[in-house]
C-alpha cells in the first residue's frame, strides 16, 4: 500500500483524491493546501492528515506526492519532492517559463526520482485507441492529423492573465496530443490567432481562438483548432488520416437518446467539460502511476514531454507574433 | 451509516458489493453464501464478516439485506428478512411461481418492511431520460413502443432448464420496462417464439427468439423483440412513438472511434453485456435504495412490480402455447 | 423504342411519366384519364396523345400500359390490357377484393401477358442491399425482421373510407416487404391496432396505428409497426436480425448538416414522403419493366405477389377482429 | 428555349449535357470538341449538331456556351464568346496564369456579357444550407471554418504536371468555398504541404497533401485539409464554428445500410467522387445559369470569383515556398 500526499486540494485535487482512495494499492495519507478550508474539507471527507509541505517532505511514510497546486508552485514542489526522494505525479505544466522548467528537470535527474506529468488526455480510452490502431497498421503511415479542442466557455479574464496564455494553458494539451499520436517531434510550427470571444481576453494580451499547423520530419502535418468557447460543451475530437484511411475519435455524448419531431432530430451535447469527459482518463492515469510506484512501469509522460509541449507553445506564440512559420 | 448483509456472493452480488462499499452511507457488513469460497473471497476483499442466514436475521446491526442468491431462494429470504424487520433489496424475480410470489408479498405486507425489487434497467440513464422526456410532453401521448432486447450469446441449456424460460428469465425485464415507460398495465398480450439459436434450448422446452405484442388501456401498444444471441454484443434499445414524434434510446458503444477505409466505415460494438451497459444503472439503483433506508423515498419498484412482470411473462407463455392473444 | 400508354394522370402517374420520358428506350405515347384536366396537362407537358381506354387498347402502337388510375379500376384495366396483348405495369393493389383479384389473374394467365405489380419499395436501393447482403451470407440465416413504416400525416377520413383500410392500403407494402426479405410466405399472422391519430378514422371503421407479427415456416418471425402519422416525416426503416448479426436500413435524411448549440445537436428529418424517399426506387422499377419489355427479364413482382400481400392484409384484419393469431 | 453550344465533350461535358437536355428551357444545340470521337458520341446520343468553334461563334442561334474544354483553352474561348455576345458558363479555372485571367476578364467587361464560373460546390445543397443557416443567425458570427477536401485517389503524375499544382487545381475549390462561406476575402494565407502519396508527384514539382490557414478581416480564420488520396472515397466536409455553436456538413454516403456483427458496426463509404457527390450541385448550377439567361439573376459566381480563388492558390504556393504567412 502506497501513501500519497496530495499537494493542492482544489477542483483537480478532488478528482485525483477519489482515484487515490478507490485504488486498492494507494491510500490518501495526507493533504497540504495553503488555503486551509480546502485542506480541512478533504481531510474530513477522506479521513486523511493535514500536513504542511515541510511535513510532507520530512515524513518517511509518504511514498508519493501528487502535485495539483497552483501552476507557479509546480517546479518548486517537484524539486522539493525530488530532494526528499518521493515519487512524483505532477499536473501539467511544470512551469510557464522554459528556463525554470529546465532547471527543475536537472534536479529531478540529479535525484533520480520518477516524475510523471499528468497529460491526462493520453489516457483517454478514445485517443488511446487511435494511437493503438495506428500502431497496428489499420491506416498505414500517418499523414495528417486534425485536433479539435474547444472549451465550453471562456475562463475569467483575471485567470487568463496568469494562465500563460491560450497556447501554454490550453493548447499545451493538444501539442502533447500531436506528439503522442504522431510519435515524433515537429520540425516547424505556425500559428494564427484572434480574440473573438471576449475583448477582455484581448486586453489581457491573449487570444481565444487559434489555428496551429505543425510539420513533422516524415512530412506528415498536424493542425489544431482551439477556441475558449464552443457554445455546445467540451468538444474534444481528433481525426488522423493515413495511407489507407482515417481513424477518428468522436465526442462522447451526455446520453444516447434521440428525439425526432417536426423540427428534425435532436441529440445530446458532448459531455460538459474535462471532469466528465476525462473521468476514465484520470482513472487510467492513476493506474499507470501505481505501476510506476510498483516498479512495473516507467513514466510514460515525463518531464521531457512537459518541456516539449511548453516549447511548442512558446514557438507557436513566436509564430503568432511574427507571422512566420518557426523552424524547430 | 447503514450495515448491509449481502445474501449471495456470485457475479451479481459482486456488482452490488462495489456499490455498497463505495456509497458514503452504506457499509458491507457481512456476506452469506452457501458456497463457502464465494463468501470467503468477498469477506477478504472487503473486510466484511461471514454470516449464516440465521445470523444475519438475528443480528440487530444488520439494517438491510441485499438478496442476490439463486432465484429459487428469493421468496424464502424475503420472508425471513421481512419477519426480521430488515429493509430488503431483492434481485428480480421474487419467484418463478406466481402463487409463491403472492404468498411472499403477503408476508412483506404483514411485517410492513420496505421491499425494493432490482429492475435495474429502470435506473439506466438512457431509458430514464425517455420516461422523463415523455412526462415533460416532448412527444405528447405515447402510442407505440418498440423494445429491442438481445443478449450477446445464449446461456447453457442446463441454465435454461432452471431459468423459468425466456419470458420469465429474460423478457421479464422488458415487460417491466414496458410498464415503466407506458405508465399503465397492459390489457392483452400476444407472443410468438421460436428456437433458432440452439436446438438444446428447444429440447429443454424453451424458446430463444420471441416477439411480444401488448395492448394498453389507452389503445397504445408495445412490442418486444428478444433473442438469446445477438451476434454483436448486448443490444438494448427502445423507441417510443407518440403524438408528436419519437424518443429513442440507442445503444452505448464500446468506444467512439471510427475507422474509414476502402471497406467503408467501421464503428465499435455495443457494450458487451449487462455488467458494462448497466453499470450506471446499478449505481443509481443503490442510491435509490439508500434513499429508502433514509426514509427519503419509498421503493419505486416494489413487490407488485415484480409480480406484474411475472404475470405478463406467464401470460405471454400462455399466448405462445395457445396461439391466442390473452386478455388480462 | 417502346410506346407506353399511361392510364391515370394523377400524382403517381406523374412520377412514372418522368421516368418513361427519361428512359432512352421508352416513349410516353399517350395518356388516358377520365378527369380531362389531368390528361390535358400531361399531354401538354410531354407532347403525348390523349386517348380513351378503348383507343389505347385498340392502338397497335401501344406496346405497354402503366396503370396508375383509381384503385377500383385496376383489375378491369388489367383484364382489358391482357386481352389487348399489352405488357402491363400496374400500381398496387390489383383490387381490394380477393375474389376479384383471383378472377383478374386468371385472365392474365389465359392471355399470357407479362404483368408487373409496382411494389416500389422492393426497388429501393437500401432495402435491396439488405436483401442482397442477406443472400451473400453477411448475417447467416434470417431470424427476426422489424419493419417500421410510418406515414408523415394521416389521409383525410374520406380517403380512409375507400382505401380498404390500413392493412390493405398502407401495410400491404410492408407485407410485401416481409415476403421479399424473408424469401418465404408466412404461416401465421397476428395483428393489433388502434385508432389514436384521428377519431374520424375510427368512425370510418379503420385503425391508424398497428403492430403485426408474422411467423415463417423456418421459425423466423417478422413484426411491422405502422402509424398514419409519424410527426417527423416519412419513416421507412427495417432491421433484419440473423445468425451472425443485423442488417439495418436506416432513413435517408433531407440533408447532412448538423447544428450543435447549447440545446444539443440538431439534424434533419427523414425525407418527407414517398415521392422523395422512393424516387430512386421508381426509376429502378421502370428500368426493370423495360427489361421485361425487352424480354431480358420476367416480372420480379407478379400478380401472385399482389395477391399474397392482399391475402396477408385480409388475414391481419381477421386477426385484429378476432384477437387470435390466424394460421395461413 | 435557349440553345446551348457545349465546348468540350469529355467527362465533365457529359455531366452538363444531361442537365442541359433535361432542363425544360434549354436545348443542347451543338457540340464542339477538337477530339472528333467525343463530339460524335455526344451528337449521336443527344441528336445535336457538331460545330467548329468558329461556327458556334458565328451562329446566331447559339444563345449560350458551356466551356468544358481543356483548362488552357478556357480564357481564349471566354474571349471569343464574349466578342460573339454569347452568355458564358465556364468551368473553373479561367486560366492558370493570373495575368491571362485579368486580360480575359477585361474583354468580358468590355463586351458586357454575363460570365458564370462553375464553382459547383457552392450549389451543393449541403454547403448551401450551412451558408443559409449562418445567414439566418443559427450560430451567430462565424469564427473558424474547417474544410476537409480529399480526393479518393491521385491523378496520374502526367496530369499533375499540367494541372497547375494542387493549390490551383484542387484546393481552388476550397479557396472559393472559404470565400463563399465567410462572405469576405482573407487578409493572409499560410500553407504547408508534402508529397506523401506518390513520389512521382513530388518529382513533377507538386505536393499531394496540404494544410492551409487563412485569416479574414473580422479575425475569423479558416483551415483547409487536402489530400489527393483519401483511401475511402471522396471526402467533402466542412465545419463552421461561430459564436453560438457549429454548423457542420457531413459526407453523403453510398447507402444507409448498417451491418452489425461480432466485428462491430459497418457502414458505407462516402459517395465515390465528384460526379456522384455533386450531381445535385451540377443540376442546381444549371438552374441558376438558366435564370441568368432569363434575366432573372446575375451570375452568383463571376470572373472575379474565379480570379480571387486563383489568387489565393498562387499566394498559398508562395507561402509554401517561403515558409511565411503571406499578407494579401
Amino acid at each position: 500500500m502506497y501513501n500519497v500526499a496530495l499537494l493542492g486540494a482544489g477542483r483537480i485535487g478532488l478528482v485525483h483524491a477519489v482515484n487515490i482512495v478507490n485504488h486498492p494499492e494507494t491510500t490518501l495519507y495526507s493533504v497540504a493546501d495553503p488555503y486551509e478550508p480546502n485542506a480541512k474539507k478533504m481531510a474530513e471527507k477522506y479521513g486523511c492528515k493535514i500536513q504542511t509541505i515541510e511535513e510532507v517532505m520530512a515524513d518517511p511514510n509518504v511514498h508519493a506526492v501528487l502535485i495539483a497546486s497552483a501552476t507557479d508552485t509546480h517546479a518548486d514542489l517537484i524539486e522539493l519532492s525530488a530532494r526528499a526522494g518521493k515519487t512524483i505525479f505532477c499536473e501539467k505544466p511544470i512551469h510557464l517559463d522554459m528556463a525554470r522548467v529546465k532547471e527543475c528537470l536537472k534536479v529531478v535527474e540529479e535525484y533520480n526520482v520518477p516524475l510523471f506529468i499528468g497529460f491526462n488526455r493520453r489516457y483517454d480510452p478514445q485517443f488511446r485507441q487511435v494511437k493503438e490502431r495506428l500502431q497496428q497498421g489499420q491506416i498505414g503511415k500517418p499523414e495528417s492529423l486534425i485536433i479539435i479542442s474547444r472549451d465550453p466557455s471562456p475562463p475569467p479574464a483575471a485567470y487568463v492573465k496568469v494562465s500563460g496564455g491560450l497556447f501554454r494553458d490550453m493548447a499545451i494539451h493538444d501539442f502533447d496530443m500531436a506528439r503522442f499520436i504522431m510519435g515524433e517531434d515537429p520540425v516547424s510550427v505556425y500559428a494564427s490567432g484572434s480574440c473573438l470571444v471576449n475583448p477582455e481576453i484581448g486586453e489581457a494580451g491573449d487570444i481565444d481562438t487559434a489555428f496551429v499547423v505543425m510539420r513533422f520530419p516524415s512530412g506528415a502535418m498536424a493542425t489544431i483548432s482551439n477556441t475558449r468557447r464552443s457554445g455546445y460543451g467540451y468538444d474534444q475530437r481528433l481525426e488522423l488520416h493515413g495511407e489507407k484511411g482515417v481513424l477518428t475519435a468522436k465526442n462522447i455524448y451526455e446520453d444516447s437518446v434521440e428525439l425526432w419531431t417536426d423540427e428534425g432530430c435532436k441529440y445530446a451535447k458532448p459531455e460538459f467539460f474535462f471532469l466528465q469527459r476525462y473521468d476514465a482518463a484520470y482513472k487510467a492515469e492513476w493506474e499507470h502511476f501505481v505501476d510506476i510506484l510498483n516498479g512495473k512501469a516507467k513514466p510514460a509522460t515525463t518531464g521531457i514531454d512537459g518541456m516539449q509541449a511548453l516549447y511548442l507553445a512558446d514557438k507557436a506564440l513566436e509564430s503568432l507574433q511574427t507571422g512566420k512559420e518557426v523552424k524547430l
Side-chain angles (χ1 to χ4, degrees), chain A:
Chain A
M1 190 64 100
Y2 299 97
N3 293 326
V4 182
L6 178 62
L7 314 185
R11 182 171 63 170
I12 191 70
L14 271 164
V15 171
H16 292 300
V18 172
N19 292 324
I20 295 169
V21 168
N22 281 342
H23 198 287
E25 299 178 54
T26 55
T27 303
L28 183 58
Y29 176 82
S30 65
V31 63
D33 194 302
Y35 182 62
E36 238 189 87
N38 272 357
K40 269 196 183 157
K41 215 165 31 174
M42 187 75 81
E44 269 164 35
K45 185 162 183 188
Y46 293 110
C48 65
K49 286 177 201 278
I50 297 181
Q51 295 187 309
T52 63
I53 295 295
E54 293 68 34
E55 287 166 351
V56 166
M57 298 304 159
D59 189 337
N61 292 318
V62 171
H63 305 109
V65 296
L66 195 158
I67 304 172
S69 52
T71 292
D72 59 0
T73 66
H74 288 186
D76 293 345
L77 291 173
I78 288 173
E79 291 185 357
L80 283 173
S81 306
R83 289 180 213 278
K86 313 296 187 197
T87 299
I88 309 166
F89 181 124
C90 184
E91 269 299 314
K92 67 95 208 166
I94 297 169
H95 201 275
L96 294 173
D97 178 70
M98 181 58 84
R100 185 73 191 86
V101 170
K102 288 184 178 168
E103 249 175 49
C104 174
L105 294 187
K106 259 188 219 151
V107 177
V108 173
E109 208 178 23
E110 192 186 337
Y111 288 86
N112 195 25
V113 295
L115 168 61
F116 173 82
I117 301 297
F119 280 119
N120 59 320
R121 296 185 197 173
R122 288 196 183 202
Y123 302 88
D124 174 70
Q126 317 308 323
F127 298 145
R128 226 172 168 82
Q129 279 250 359
V130 171
K131 174 76 178 176
E132 284 169 13
R133 295 199 197 175
L134 172 66
Q135 288 171 330
Q136 289 160 20
Q138 292 192 2
I139 57 164
K141 281 185 213 150
E143 292 178 355
S144 60
L145 171 66
I146 300 175
I147 296 174
I148 293 171
S149 172
R150 296 174 180 152
D151 280 356
S153 48
Y159 170 80
V160 166
K161 272 179 206 166
V162 299
S163 72
L166 183 137
F167 292 132
R168 289 197 198 96
D169 175 52
M170 178 182 171
I172 195 166
H173 278 294
D174 307 306
F175 288 120
D176 183 63
M177 184 55 65
R179 294 182 67 242
F180 171 60
I181 295 288
M182 302 305 276
E184 51 180 0
D185 273 298
V187 294
S188 71
V189 64
Y190 164 82
S192 184
S194 293
C195 177
L196 298 169
V197 173
N198 180 359
E200 290 178 27
I201 290 175
E203 286 154 21
D206 199 7
I207 54 173
D208 50 36
T209 308
F211 275 118
V212 174
V213 177
M214 285 173 283
R215 217 184 145 68
F216 291 84
S218 62
M221 288 166 285
T223 197
I224 297 168
S225 175
N226 284 140
T227 174
R228 288 283 196 181
R229 177 263 293 116
S230 75
Y232 52 87
Y234 196 42
D235 191 352
Q236 298 282 300
R237 288 172 286 153
L238 67 78
E239 173 174 329
L240 176 65
H241 181 248
E243 275 178 295
K244 299 180 196 161
V246 156
L247 278 164
T248 179
K250 300 163 76 183
N251 282 314
I252 309 292
Y253 291 87
E254 285 178 342
D255 60 66
S256 77
V257 177
E258 286 185 357
L259 171 66
W260 307 346
T261 67
D262 193 34
E263 291 174 26
C265 172
K266 252 181 143 175
Y267 202 71
K269 279 186 289 190
E271 289 188 315
F272 180 66
F273 206 5
F274 66 97
L275 298 181
Q276 294 79 37
R277 167 61 198 262
Y278 292 124
D279 182 54
Y282 285 115
K283 261 183 216 139
E285 194 180 58
W286 189 249
E287 275 161 28
H288 172 61
F289 188 71
V290 176
D291 283 348
I292 297 169
L293 285 167
N294 273 325
K296 285 185 199 154
K298 296 203 167 173
T301 38
T302 65
I304 303 300
D305 293 308
M307 190 179 74
Q308 285 302 105
L310 180 68
Y311 175 66
L312 290 172
D314 282 356
K315 292 299 170 178
L317 192 59
E318 185 185 323
S319 170
L320 180 71
Q321 287 162 347
T322 61
K324 288 180 193 161
E325 184 186 280
V326 177
K327 306 288 178 202
L328 306 174

